[in-house]
Amino acid sequence: MATRPKHKRFFSIDDVGAHFGLSLVDMGVMAAEGQLRLSVPVAGLRVEIGDWEEDGDGRGFRIPAGFRMLNGLVDLYPVDGWTILRNGTGVVHAFPTEGAGYTSIETGNPDQEGLVVTRDELGVRREEWRRLEGQDGDHEADAPVPSRRGVQPTHDWDAARLEACRLFYFEGVPESQAALIRHMQAWFASKGLKVPDDSTLKRRLRDVWAMFGPEAKKRAA
C-alpha cells in the first residue's frame, strides 16, 4: 500500500473507498446516517452568516450578521453528501453551523443559487480519516462516533434533522410547519423514542423549516 503523504490534509472518496474497502453505496449510506463526515474544498466562496429567530407564530426567520469569504475545507450536511454521492453532482445551499446560527451560500448570481459540487470533489479531512482508521480493526467500520462525556441528550436531533430532509427530498415539503411537526412526532413514536413537544420541535427544526418552508407556500399559492 502506498505511504500517505505526511502532511496530507484531504483524502478523496477514491482514497477512502480503496483504503477502507468501501463502495460508493457504502459511503452514501454512512454519509446519510451521519457516520461519514464529507467535506469539499472551496476558494473565495461568499457566504452569509447569522442567527435564526422565531416570530410569535413559531415561524423562523434569519437575522443576518454579515458576510464572509470561505477558503479551504468545509463540511457538508449529511443529506447533501449523500445526494452528491448518489447522483454524481448536487447543489449545496448551506453548510452546517454549530448552535442556532446559519451559513448560507450567496453567489450573487440569480441564475445559479448555491454551489455545484461533483462527486470527484468530495473527500474527508485528515481528522475524519484518522477517526475511520481508529474504527478499522477492533471496531466495526460503521460504528457510531463515540459519544461525548457528560449528560447525553434526550433526543437524537441529528437523526431527526436527517429524517426531515428525507421527507422533503422524497415526499415533498409539508403543507405547513404544523404538518412537519406532526410527521416528526409520529417518526419519534415509530422509533420507540420519547416524543418531543411542539415547542421543542419548532425550536429544533426552525432553520430547516425556514429554508424549505417557502416551497410549501409556493405550492399553496
Side-chain angles (χ1 to χ4, degrees):
M1 180 182 299
T3 302
R4 300 191 309 279
K6 181 178 180 180
H7 300 294
K8 189 174 176 68
R9 295 184 55 220
F10 184 68
F11 299 85
S12 71
I13 57 171
D14 289 338
D15 293 333
V16 176
H19 186 79
F20 296 100
L22 299 171
S23 67
L24 287 176
V25 174
D26 294 328
M27 288 185 280
V29 171
M30 291 173 67
E33 293 181 344
Q35 304 294 338
L36 179 65
R37 186 178 60 185
L38 293 171
S39 305
V40 63
V42 300
L45 181 65
R46 189 171 186 259
V47 298
E48 181 183 277
I49 59 174
D51 295 309
W52 288 105
E53 294 293 342
E54 204 171 83
D55 62 19
D57 296 325
R59 292 175 298 205
F61 61 93
R62 294 178 176 182
I63 303 294
F67 296 92
R68 180 179 298 169
M69 301 297 285
L70 296 185
N71 295 285
L73 298 175
V74 291
D75 298 331
L76 300 177
Y77 278 113
V79 68
D80 285 329
W82 173 79
T83 299
I84 297 166
L85 277 173
R86 179 175 180 267
N87 298 333
T89 187
V91 180
V92 176
H93 297 278
F95 298 119
T97 304
E98 291 189 12
Y102 70 87
T103 300
S104 65
I105 297 171
E106 298 294 331
T107 64
N109 181 358
D111 296 325
Q112 179 57 64
E113 297 182 358
L115 174 70
V116 178
V117 178
T118 66
R119 184 187 293 149
D120 292 340
E121 296 175 277
L122 294 181
V124 301
R125 297 174 183 265
R126 179 169 54 196
E127 296 81 5
E128 181 70 356
W129 179 279
R130 288 175 175 172
R131 185 185 69 79
L132 292 170
E133 281 192 319
Q135 296 177 353
D136 191 32
D138 295 335
H139 303 282
E140 292 293 330
D142 60 348
V145 178
S147 300
R148 294 189 180 100
R149 293 180 179 180
V151 178
Q152 298 302 305
T154 305
H155 304 99
D156 187 346
W157 292 111
D158 286 341
R161 290 169 65 88
L162 186 60
E163 166 59 20
C165 291
R166 184 207 65 79
L167 173 69
F168 298 156
Y169 187 86
F170 288 107
E171 301 178 31
V173 181
E175 60 186 11
S176 65
Q177 187 183 33
L180 172 62
I181 297 304
R182 290 194 297 271
H183 173 87
M184 293 308 304
Q185 288 177 327
W187 177 82
F188 273 103
S190 71
K191 299 294 182 182
L193 304 173
K194 181 179 179 180
V195 178
D197 58 38
D198 290 12
S199 61
T200 299
L201 278 167
K202 285 182 180 179
R203 177 169 51 84
R204 287 286 186 169
L205 299 176
R206 63 184 176 186
D207 56 341
V208 177
W209 179 252
M211 181 178 294
F212 293 96
E215 186 63 30
K217 293 181 180 178
K218 289 180 184 178
R219 294 208 316 265

